[in-house]
Amino acid sequence: MAKPRIHAFSKADSVAGQGVGSAYLEQVALISAELGDEFDINPRARLGSFGDINHFHSINPEYRAAIPLAKRRGATLAHVHFIPETVDDSIAMPKPARWAFYRYMLNFYRTTDTLVTVNPWFITALESTYGFDPSRITFIPNFVSEEQFHPLERNESIAQRRRAWGADDTRFVVMCAGQLQTRKGFFDLLDVARAMPEVLFVWAGDFSFGRITSGYEQIKKAKENLPANVKLIGLVPREEMNECFNAADAFFLPSYEELFPMTILEAMATDTPIVVRDLVYYEGVLFDHATRVQAGRGEIDGFVEALTRLKDSPTVYAKAQQAAREGAARYSRASVAEQWREFYRSQLTR
């Protein structure tokens, strides 16, 4: 008897440095490795070839046009990595273009049979703001492979990377990773760095969307006069990021808007302590696996205080490492794979 076919469609990895692309690659690698006993999986399906389950990881127009035909062959689902309010501060667009894009995005989601979200907060937002039926929405978390992201000993290769950044063995190094955007808290990072001149701050990432990136001109200007303790290392190949996380002493993500970023999962997987802004989106996913600094007045001081405690207190640092380790276990390969298995089975009975 032939296995049910899962066809995955995506162009999310066509632009380097996007978390959505990393999430797609991790998800198809996971199900290919763990669910192959039960399903026949095509991780890079082409239009015209549809399966019993057709999983759309990105919302390209050609995929939207193909959904009616895909429905005749099997179940259809859209992977929801963003909704309108989470795009607002990422890309600068004229209001008419923004309105048209949001309308198209929501239409794409409405057209498929079911939705999978990367954050449980999305389910509430899609229901209360946009009128979606919550019974057709499922939350399944993102995942990173422990083969690709894991703790490393501080060997000579890591020491060389730290020296290339400008840090010796004793200097505390804080890593940030993500697209250079206002939303990511880039200017807050600069303020924190100015308050902690003894610490080196390293940012991996660049302008993935070029000039239409929100804050492009302001960030470009700021790059010309960075604090001496800030190092921008640009886009880093994903296969090198495990060593980067291990070369850092802490991971800092001062974003104003995040869902369940791959960078946090990657930091967890390397036992790296994490400091973030306390966002509503983190409820139900981050728990106590990261230090969350309350948003509002004095949050720059809060970030400085949290990072200083990690730098100066071995006890605090060890507890933060353990919290990250427990977060990685919560989103382990076995746990997430089983959630996908049960979800895909449910789609075959529709």
Side-chain angles (χ1 to χ4, degrees), residues 253-290:
L253 190 64
S255 294
Y256 287 88
E257 253 181 15
E258 287 291 350
L259 305 172
F260 197 0
M262 296 296 287
T263 52
I264 287 182
L265 287 171
E266 291 159 3
M268 284 179 178
T270 59
D271 292 354
T272 305
I274 301 162
V275 176
V276 297
R277 194 186 309 270
D278 191 14
L279 305 176
V280 64
Y281 312 105
Y282 292 148
E283 295 298 329
V285 292
L286 264 192
F287 303 100
D288 59 353
H289 303 310

CSV table of all heavy atoms in Angstrom, one decimal, residues 253-290:
chain,number,residue,atom,x,y,z
A,253,LEU,N,18.4,39.6,22.3
A,253,LEU,CA,17.5,40.0,21.2
A,253,LEU,C,16.6,41.0,21.7
A,253,LEU,O,15.5,40.7,22.3
A,253,LEU,CB,16.8,38.7,20.7
A,253,LEU,CG,16.0,38.9,19.4
A,253,LEU,CD1,16.9,39.2,18.3
A,253,LEU,CD2,15.1,37.6,19.2
A,254,PRO,N,16.9,42.3,21.5
A,254,PRO,CA,16.0,43.4,22.0
A,254,PRO,C,14.8,43.7,21.1
A,254,PRO,O,14.3,44.9,21.1
A,254,PRO,CB,17.0,44.6,22.1
A,254,PRO,CG,17.9,44.3,21.0
A,254,PRO,CD,18.1,42.8,20.8
A,255,SER,N,14.3,42.8,20.3
A,255,SER,CA,13.3,43.0,19.3
A,255,SER,C,12.0,43.6,20.0
A,255,SER,O,11.7,43.2,21.1
A,255,SER,CB,12.9,41.8,18.6
A,255,SER,OG,14.0,41.4,17.8
A,256,TYR,N,11.3,44.4,19.3
A,256,TYR,CA,10.0,44.9,19.7
A,256,TYR,C,8.9,44.0,19.3
A,256,TYR,O,7.8,44.1,19.8
A,256,TYR,CB,9.7,46.3,19.1
A,256,TYR,CG,10.6,47.4,19.8
A,256,TYR,CD1,11.8,47.7,19.3
A,256,TYR,CD2,10.1,48.1,20.8
A,256,TYR,CE1,12.6,48.7,19.8
A,256,TYR,CE2,10.9,49.1,21.4
A,256,TYR,CZ,12.1,49.4,20.9
A,256,TYR,OH,12.9,50.4,21.5
A,257,GLU,N,9.1,43.2,18.3
A,257,GLU,CA,8.2,42.2,17.8
A,257,GLU,C,8.9,41.0,17.4
A,257,GLU,O,9.8,41.0,16.5
A,257,GLU,CB,7.4,42.8,16.6
A,257,GLU,CG,6.0,43.2,16.9
A,257,GLU,CD,5.3,43.7,15.7
A,257,GLU,OE1,5.7,43.5,14.6
A,257,GLU,OE2,4.2,44.3,15.9
A,258,GLU,N,8.5,39.8,17.9
A,258,GLU,CA,9.0,38.5,17.5
A,258,GLU,C,7.9,37.5,17.8
A,258,GLU,O,7.1,37.7,18.6
A,258,GLU,CB,10.3,38.2,18.3
A,258,GLU,CG,11.5,38.9,18.0
A,258,GLU,CD,12.1,38.6,16.6
A,258,GLU,OE1,11.6,37.6,16.0
A,258,GLU,OE2,13.0,39.3,16.1
A,259,LEU,N,8.0,36.4,17.1
A,259,LEU,CA,7.0,35.4,17.3
A,259,LEU,C,7.6,34.2,18.0
A,259,LEU,O,7.5,34.1,19.2
A,259,LEU,CB,6.5,34.9,15.9
A,259,LEU,CG,5.9,36.1,15.1
A,259,LEU,CD1,5.6,35.7,13.7
A,259,LEU,CD2,4.7,36.7,15.8
A,260,PHE,N,8.4,33.4,17.3
A,260,PHE,CA,9.2,32.4,18.0
A,260,PHE,C,10.4,32.3,17.1
A,260,PHE,O,10.6,31.3,16.3
A,260,PHE,CB,8.4,31.1,18.0
A,260,PHE,CG,9.0,30.1,19.0
A,260,PHE,CD1,10.1,30.3,19.7
A,260,PHE,CD2,8.4,28.8,19.1
A,260,PHE,CE1,10.6,29.4,20.6
A,260,PHE,CE2,8.8,27.9,20.0
A,260,PHE,CZ,9.9,28.2,20.7
A,261,PRO,N,11.3,33.2,17.2
A,261,PRO,CA,12.5,33.3,16.3
A,261,PRO,C,13.4,32.1,16.4
A,261,PRO,O,13.7,31.6,17.5
A,261,PRO,CB,13.2,34.6,16.8
A,261,PRO,CG,12.8,34.8,18.2
A,261,PRO,CD,11.4,34.3,18.2
A,262,MET,N,13.9,31.7,15.2
A,262,MET,CA,14.8,30.6,15.1
A,262,MET,C,16.1,30.9,15.9
A,262,MET,O,16.7,30.0,16.5
A,262,MET,CB,15.1,30.3,13.7
A,262,MET,CG,13.9,29.9,12.8
A,262,MET,SD,13.3,28.3,13.4
A,262,MET,CE,14.5,27.2,12.8
A,263,THR,N,16.5,32.1,16.0
A,263,THR,CA,17.7,32.4,16.7
A,263,THR,C,17.6,32.1,18.2
A,263,THR,O,18.6,31.7,18.8
A,263,THR,CB,18.1,33.9,16.5
A,263,THR,OG1,16.9,34.7,16.9
A,263,THR,CG2,18.5,34.2,15.1
A,264,ILE,N,16.5,32.3,18.8
A,264,ILE,CA,16.3,31.9,20.2
A,264,ILE,C,16.4,30.4,20.3
A,264,ILE,O,17.1,29.9,21.2
A,264,ILE,CB,15.0,32.4,20.7
A,264,ILE,CG1,15.1,33.9,21.0
A,264,ILE,CG2,14.6,31.7,22.1
A,264,ILE,CD1,13.8,34.5,21.5
A,265,LEU,N,15.8,29.6,19.4
A,265,LEU,CA,15.9,28.2,19.5
A,265,LEU,C,17.3,27.7,19.3
A,265,LEU,O,17.8,26.8,19.9
A,265,LEU,CB,15.0,27.5,18.4
A,265,LEU,CG,13.5,27.6,18.7
A,265,LEU,CD1,12.8,27.1,17.4
A,265,LEU,CD2,13.1,26.7,19.8
A,266,GLU,N,18.0,28.4,18.4
A,266,GLU,CA,19.4,28.1,18.1
A,266,GLU,C,20.3,28.3,19.3
A,266,GLU,O,21.2,27.5,19.7
A,266,GLU,CB,19.9,28.8,16.9
A,266,GLU,CG,19.3,28.4,15.6
A,266,GLU,CD,19.3,29.4,14.5
A,266,GLU,OE1,19.9,30.5,14.7
A,266,GLU,OE2,18.8,29.1,13.4
A,267,ALA,N,20.1,29.5,20.0
A,267,ALA,CA,20.8,29.8,21.2
A,267,ALA,C,20.5,28.8,22.3
A,267,ALA,O,21.4,28.3,23.0
A,267,ALA,CB,20.5,31.2,21.7
A,268,MET,N,19.2,28.4,22.5
A,268,MET,CA,18.9,27.4,23.5
A,268,MET,C,19.7,26.1,23.2
A,268,MET,O,20.2,25.5,24.1
A,268,MET,CB,17.4,27.1,23.4
A,268,MET,CG,16.5,28.1,24.0
A,268,MET,SD,14.8,27.6,23.8
A,268,MET,CE,13.9,28.9,24.7
A,269,ALA,N,19.7,25.7,22.0
A,269,ALA,CA,20.4,24.4,21.6
A,269,ALA,C,21.8,24.4,21.9
A,269,ALA,O,22.4,23.4,22.0
A,269,ALA,CB,20.1,24.1,20.1
A,270,THR,N,22.5,25.6,22.0
A,270,THR,CA,23.9,25.7,22.3
A,270,THR,C,24.1,26.0,23.8
A,270,THR,O,25.3,26.3,24.2
A,270,THR,CB,24.6,26.7,21.4
A,270,THR,OG1,23.9,28.0,21.6
A,270,THR,CG2,24.4,26.4,20.0
A,271,ASP,N,23.1,26.0,24.6
A,271,ASP,CA,23.2,26.3,26.1
A,271,ASP,C,23.6,27.7,26.3
A,271,ASP,O,24.3,28.0,27.3
A,271,ASP,CB,24.2,25.3,26.8
A,271,ASP,CG,23.7,23.9,26.8
A,271,ASP,OD1,22.6,23.6,26.4
A,271,ASP,OD2,24.5,23.0,27.3
A,272,THR,N,23.3,28.6,25.4
A,272,THR,CA,23.7,30.0,25.6
A,272,THR,C,22.6,30.8,26.3
A,272,THR,O,21.4,30.8,25.9
A,272,THR,CB,23.9,30.6,24.2
A,272,THR,OG1,24.9,29.9,23.5
A,272,THR,CG2,24.4,32.1,24.3
A,273,PRO,N,22.9,31.5,27.4
A,273,PRO,CA,21.9,32.3,28.1
A,273,PRO,C,21.3,33.3,27.2
A,273,PRO,O,22.0,33.9,26.4
A,273,PRO,CB,22.8,32.9,29.3
A,273,PRO,CG,23.9,31.9,29.5
A,273,PRO,CD,24.2,31.4,28.1
A,274,ILE,N,20.0,33.6,27.4
A,274,ILE,CA,19.3,34.5,26.5
A,274,ILE,C,18.6,35.6,27.3
A,274,ILE,O,18.0,35.4,28.4
A,274,ILE,CB,18.2,33.6,25.8
A,274,ILE,CG1,18.8,32.5,25.1
A,274,ILE,CG2,17.3,34.5,24.9
A,274,ILE,CD1,17.8,31.4,24.7
A,275,VAL,N,18.7,36.8,26.7
A,275,VAL,CA,18.1,38.0,27.3
A,275,VAL,C,17.2,38.6,26.2
A,275,VAL,O,17.7,38.9,25.1
A,275,VAL,CB,19.1,39.0,27.8
A,275,VAL,CG1,18.4,40.3,28.3
A,275,VAL,CG2,19.9,38.5,28.9
A,276,VAL,N,16.0,38.9,26.5
A,276,VAL,CA,15.0,39.4,25.5
A,276,VAL,C,14.2,40.5,26.1
A,276,VAL,O,14.1,40.6,27.3
A,276,VAL,CB,14.1,38.3,24.8
A,276,VAL,CG1,15.0,37.3,24.1
A,276,VAL,CG2,13.3,37.6,25.9
A,277,ARG,N,13.5,41.2,25.3
A,277,ARG,CA,12.4,42.1,25.7
A,277,ARG,C,11.2,41.3,26.1
A,277,ARG,O,10.9,40.3,25.3
A,277,ARG,CB,12.1,43.2,24.7
A,277,ARG,CG,11.3,44.3,25.1
A,277,ARG,CD,10.9,45.2,23.9
A,277,ARG,NE,12.1,45.6,23.1
A,277,ARG,CZ,12.9,46.7,23.3
A,277,ARG,NH1,12.6,47.5,24.3
A,277,ARG,NH2,13.9,46.9,22.6
A,278,ASP,N,10.5,41.6,27.1
A,278,ASP,CA,9.3,40.8,27.5
A,278,ASP,C,8.1,41.2,26.6
A,278,ASP,O,7.5,42.2,26.7
A,278,ASP,CB,8.9,41.1,28.9
A,278,ASP,CG,7.9,40.1,29.5
A,278,ASP,OD1,7.7,39.1,28.8
A,278,ASP,OD2,7.3,40.4,30.5
A,279,LEU,N,7.8,40.3,25.6
A,279,LEU,CA,6.8,40.5,24.6
A,279,LEU,C,5.6,39.6,24.8
A,279,LEU,O,5.8,38.4,25.3
A,279,LEU,CB,7.3,40.3,23.2
A,279,LEU,CG,8.6,41.1,22.8
A,279,LEU,CD1,9.0,40.7,21.4
A,279,LEU,CD2,8.3,42.6,22.9
A,280,VAL,N,4.4,40.0,24.5
A,280,VAL,CA,3.2,39.2,24.6
A,280,VAL,C,3.3,38.0,23.8
A,280,VAL,O,2.8,36.9,24.1
A,280,VAL,CB,1.9,40.0,24.2
A,280,VAL,CG1,2.0,40.4,22.8
A,280,VAL,CG2,0.7,39.2,24.5
A,281,TYR,N,4.1,38.1,22.6
A,281,TYR,CA,4.2,36.9,21.7
A,281,TYR,C,5.0,35.8,22.4
A,281,TYR,O,4.9,34.6,21.9
A,281,TYR,CB,5.0,37.4,20.5
A,281,TYR,CG,4.4,38.6,19.8
A,281,TYR,CD1,5.1,39.8,20.0
A,281,TYR,CD2,3.2,38.6,19.1
A,281,TYR,CE1,4.7,41.0,19.4
A,281,TYR,CE2,2.7,39.8,18.6
A,281,TYR,CZ,3.5,41.0,18.7
A,281,TYR,OH,3.0,42.1,18.2
A,282,TYR,N,5.8,36.1,23.4
A,282,TYR,CA,6.6,35.0,24.1
A,282,TYR,C,5.8,34.2,25.1
A,282,TYR,O,6.2,33.1,25.5
A,282,TYR,CB,7.8,35.6,24.8
A,282,TYR,CG,8.8,36.2,23.8
A,282,TYR,CD1,9.6,37.3,24.2
A,282,TYR,CD2,9.1,35.6,22.6
A,282,TYR,CE1,10.6,37.8,23.4
A,282,TYR,CE2,10.1,36.2,21.8
A,282,TYR,CZ,10.8,37.3,22.2
A,282,TYR,OH,11.8,37.8,21.4
A,283,GLU,N,4.6,34.7,25.4
A,283,GLU,CA,3.8,33.9,26.4
A,283,GLU,C,3.4,32.6,25.7
A,283,GLU,O,2.9,32.5,24.6
A,283,GLU,CB,2.5,34.7,26.7
A,283,GLU,CG,2.8,36.0,27.5
A,283,GLU,CD,3.5,35.7,28.8
A,283,GLU,OE1,3.2,34.7,29.4
A,283,GLU,OE2,4.3,36.6,29.3
A,284,GLY,N,3.6,31.5,26.4
A,284,GLY,CA,3.2,30.2,25.9
A,284,GLY,C,4.3,29.5,25.1
A,284,GLY,O,4.1,28.4,24.6
A,285,VAL,N,5.4,30.2,24.9
A,285,VAL,CA,6.5,29.6,24.1
A,285,VAL,C,7.9,29.7,24.9
A,285,VAL,O,8.6,28.7,24.9
A,285,VAL,CB,6.7,30.1,22.7
A,285,VAL,CG1,5.5,29.7,21.8
A,285,VAL,CG2,6.9,31.6,22.7
A,286,LEU,N,8.2,30.9,25.5
A,286,LEU,CA,9.5,31.0,26.1
A,286,LEU,C,9.5,30.6,27.5
A,286,LEU,O,10.5,30.2,28.1
A,286,LEU,CB,9.9,32.5,26.0
A,286,LEU,CG,10.9,32.8,24.8
A,286,LEU,CD1,11.5,34.2,25.0
A,286,LEU,CD2,12.0,31.7,24.7
A,287,PHE,N,8.4,30.8,28.2
A,287,PHE,CA,8.3,30.4,29.7
A,287,PHE,C,9.4,31.1,30.4
A,287,PHE,O,9.7,32.3,30.3
A,287,PHE,CB,8.2,28.9,29.8
A,287,PHE,CG,7.1,28.3,29.1
A,287,PHE,CD1,7.3,27.7,27.8
A,287,PHE,CD2,5.8,28.3,29.6
A,287,PHE,CE1,6.2,27.1,27.1
A,287,PHE,CE2,4.7,27.8,28.9
A,287,PHE,CZ,5.0,27.2,27.6
A,288,ASP,N,10.2,30.3,31.2
A,288,ASP,CA,11.3,30.9,31.9
A,288,ASP,C,12.7,30.4,31.4
A,288,ASP,O,13.7,30.4,32.0
A,288,ASP,CB,11.2,30.5,33.4
A,288,ASP,CG,11.3,29.0,33.6
A,288,ASP,OD1,11.2,28.2,32.6
A,288,ASP,OD2,11.4,28.5,34.8
A,289,HIS,N,12.7,30.1,30.1
A,289,HIS,CA,13.9,29.7,29.4
A,289,HIS,C,14.8,30.9,29.0
A,289,HIS,O,15.9,30.7,28.5
A,289,HIS,CB,13.6,28.8,28.2
A,289,HIS,CG,12.7,27.7,28.5
A,289,HIS,ND1,13.0,26.8,29.5
A,289,HIS,CD2,11.6,27.2,28.0
A,289,HIS,CE1,12.1,25.9,29.6
A,289,HIS,NE2,11.2,26.1,28.7
A,290,ALA,N,14.3,32.1,29.2
A,290,ALA,CA,15.1,33.3,28.9
A,290,ALA,C,14.8,34.3,29.9
A,290,ALA,O,13.8,34.3,30.6
A,290,ALA,CB,14.7,33.8,27.5
